[in-house]
Amino acid sequence: MDAFKCKLGEYPISNRDHVAVSITNMGQKKLMVEAVSKVTLDIPCARCLETVKSDIEIEISKDIDMSESGAESREESGEKSYVEGYNLNVDELVYDEILLNLPMKVLCKPNCKGICNRCGMNLNYGECGCDRESLDPRMSVIRDIFNNFKEV
């Protein structure tokens, strides 16, 4: 994969390690698949949209039942099958693990100021001078009461 694509967007992969996979035969047509890797995604900051490099550690440990009844029960339960014939779909395993470990919110720094809602300037680099006070016209009566209260 050159980019991680999901419903939230498409995030370029800037660095990826090889996936080290270990498959153990547990007997009775059951396999234990274990894998370890690391991926770095370029995710935009939730406030200012600057690119943030986010490291995602991948540690996979899956039990796979190769029996026919197991495949039928997986389809009924909605569980994905990572084995097609005698092939293991490692890309699907890694994709699912990245999706599970994808951060909910990424910030470039904890005190990120975001962007101006008027002009779009990144406020981390300085003030833009826009009047960012958005006034709701439905609240004008209450605002007038507070303004009159200040004059008294």
Side-chain angles (χ1 to χ4, degrees):
M1 289 188 283
D2 293 326
F4 178 76
K5 299 174 188 174
C6 65
K7 290 183 179 181
L8 298 174
E10 183 174 332
Y11 307 116
I13 297 174
S14 59
N15 187 23
R16 63 182 153 257
D17 291 346
H18 292 285
V19 180
V21 179
S22 171
I23 301 173
T24 306
N25 185 352
M26 304 298 286
Q28 300 176 349
K29 294 187 176 184
K30 292 184 181 179
L31 300 175
M32 168 66 85
V33 177
E34 298 174 313
V36 177
S37 187
K38 181 179 170 184
V39 174
T40 303
L41 298 178
D42 293 339
I43 302 175
C45 174
R47 293 184 188 160
C48 69
L49 304 177
E50 290 286 323
T51 300
V52 179
K53 297 205 177 291
S54 300
D55 293 330
I56 297 178
E57 299 286 333
I58 298 171
E59 293 182 22
I60 300 169
S61 180
K62 298 266 185 203
D63 291 323
I64 298 176
D65 189 355
M66 300 291 291
S67 64
E68 294 249 7
S69 60
E72 292 169 1
S73 67
R74 278 195 305 267
E75 288 176 15
E76 291 172 7
S77 68
E79 185 180 328
K80 291 184 179 179
S81 176
Y82 300 104
V83 178
E84 300 161 3
Y86 290 107
N87 296 319
L88 176 66
N89 191 341
V90 177
D91 290 341
E92 194 69 32
L93 274 171
V94 171
Y95 178 88
D96 288 350
E97 195 67 22
I98 292 172
L99 189 60
L100 288 173
N101 291 312
L102 197 62
M104 294 289 288
K105 186 176 188 180
V106 175
L107 296 176
C108 59
K109 54 187 174 183
N111 60 347
C112 177
K113 296 179 182 177
I115 58 174
C116 173
N117 60 359
R118 301 275 181 192
C119 68
M121 180 178 168
N122 188 338
L123 298 175
N124 293 315
Y125 300 130
E127 289 295 321
C128 60
C130 294
D131 181 20
R132 289 190 301 273
E133 183 180 335
S134 61
L135 304 175
D136 188 350
R138 297 172 291 180
M139 301 299 285
S140 63
V141 174
I142 295 173
R143 195 171 33 256
D144 290 341
I145 291 171
F146 282 113
N147 287 338
N148 290 338
F149 183 71
K150 289 179 186 177
E151 293 174 5
V152 175

